[in-house]
Amino acid sequence: MRSIFRGTLLAILTLLVVSTARADYGACDPGNGFSLAACLSLAEQGDASAQHKLGILYAKGEGVPQDFAEALRLFRLAAAQADAEGQYSLGVMYNNGLGVSQDFAEAMRWYRLAAEQGHAPAQFNLGVMYRDGEGVPQDYAEAVSWYRLAAEQGHSQAQNNLGNMYDKGLGVPQDYAEAVDWYRLSAKQGNDSAQGNLGNMYLNGNFVPQDRVKAAQWYRLAAEQGNAQAQGTLGYMYAAGLGVAQDYVLAHMWFDLSAQQGNADAARDRDKAASLMNPAGIAEAQRLAREWVAAHPR
């Protein structure tokens, strides 16, 4: 069985999925009496919260035309006031080259300022950059430190990545028990990568008793969220009859869904399963895959 979950998914949060933890923005909230004029007025008066929220709106094109340059300007104004959200979002812009040339070192600088204020997403992103050596020399121990700070605040991606560091022994001694604990905390929040990683732990019997049924259950939770790797692995479980009754139709369906997302291994496994099926079975698997896609719009 090939190992497929490495805990490195969603390495960098993009601006378009930034989740702020602020109170009601009033005039700057498109879902709550949005007034561009009032929001602009607040921002021009130096309100850091309004500057940041307005920047998010420009970055997403929500209520205003999408304009990364304007978003960058507003984030910079908020960040200059030591606003952690503004610092973090400015880091994201540099990290991803949105409205500015990509600059990992500058992204690190702004992430660190936000992280030192306890901003969990910034702490997580710092951990990723230390793990991957982006903007700084690669340092697994430092990555673990930042992941832990975010994970202890309940950041699900940080919990998953911290679990992976323990799983692989990167920056910390290998410890499957710790890995399982962090994976489970993340998985309970619905993190699909962590669910897949827990599936691996049960499939391989790492710290937890080997349990293919539980492995399949965790893979299914991740697969139903559209995780391509989990879909491919669940297909493998059905093809081999591991933890589930052997079923080539369902194996083909999950392989196909994974392959549609670019998983080359799943595409090969789908074709292998098809060679063992009759035309009616293949047609049924394709129908199920189409129905799943229709029921799970991206």
Side-chain angles (χ1 to χ4, degrees), residues 61-74:
E62 190 174 304
V64 293
Q66 188 174 56
D67 187 335
F68 289 135
E70 181 63 9
L72 183 78
R73 184 186 74 84
L74 289 160

Side-chain angles (χ1 to χ4, degrees), residues 59-143:
K60 297 173 70 174
E62 190 174 304
V64 293
Q66 188 174 56
D67 187 335
F68 289 135
E70 181 63 9
L72 183 78
R73 184 186 74 84
L74 289 160
F75 292 150
R76 199 180 299 281
L77 289 173
Q81 299 187 63
D83 180 85
E85 293 279 4
Q87 292 166 341
Y88 166 72
S89 295
L90 188 55
V92 171
M93 300 295 277
Y94 277 106
N95 202 157
N96 293 280
L98 300 175
V100 67
S101 297
Q102 188 174 53
D103 188 330
F104 290 142
E106 192 68 4
M108 285 287 298
R109 183 169 80 87
W110 290 109
Y111 284 154
R112 190 180 300 278
L113 288 169
E116 288 173 349
Q117 295 193 62
H119 191 278
Q123 292 168 341
F124 168 74
N125 279 12
L126 275 179
V128 170
M129 297 189 82
Y130 273 110
R131 184 200 62 199
D132 294 344
E134 291 182 333
V136 288
Q138 188 176 58
D139 188 330
Y140 291 140
E142 191 70 9

Side-chain angles (χ1 to χ4, degrees), residues 120 124 146-148 150-151 155-163 182 186:
F124 168 74
W146 287 110
Y147 283 153
R148 192 182 306 280
H155 191 285
S156 68
Q157 291 168 312
Q159 290 169 340
N160 174 69
N161 284 25
L162 182 57
W182 287 111
S186 181

Side-chain angles (χ1 to χ4, degrees), residues 181-288:
D181 285 346
W182 287 111
Y183 285 154
R184 197 179 300 279
L185 286 171
S186 181
K188 286 182 177 178
Q189 294 194 63
N191 185 287
D192 59 298
S193 295
Q195 291 166 345
N197 283 329
L198 266 183
N200 280 349
M201 302 301 271
Y202 277 107
L203 184 64
N204 298 319
N206 290 338
F207 177 68
V208 294
Q210 187 176 52
D211 189 328
R212 291 168 174 171
V213 172
K214 285 186 177 179
Q217 290 170 347
W218 284 112
Y219 288 139
R220 187 183 306 279
L221 288 172
E224 289 289 358
Q225 293 194 65
N227 187 297
Q229 293 174 313
Q231 290 170 340
T233 305
L234 187 57
Y236 172 86
M237 302 290 277
Y238 274 110
L242 297 176
V244 292
Q246 188 177 53
D247 189 324
Y248 286 122
V249 169
L250 291 177
H252 189 291
M253 181 197 81
W254 287 113
F255 285 144
D256 190 29
L257 290 170
S258 182
Q260 289 179 36
Q261 297 192 63
N263 188 329
D265 288 334
R268 287 190 291 270
D269 290 338
R270 176 197 59 202
D271 295 343
K272 183 177 179 180
S275 71
L276 302 172
M277 301 166 64
N278 60 37
I282 295 172
E284 175 65 6
Q286 292 171 338
R287 181 187 68 80
L288 291 173

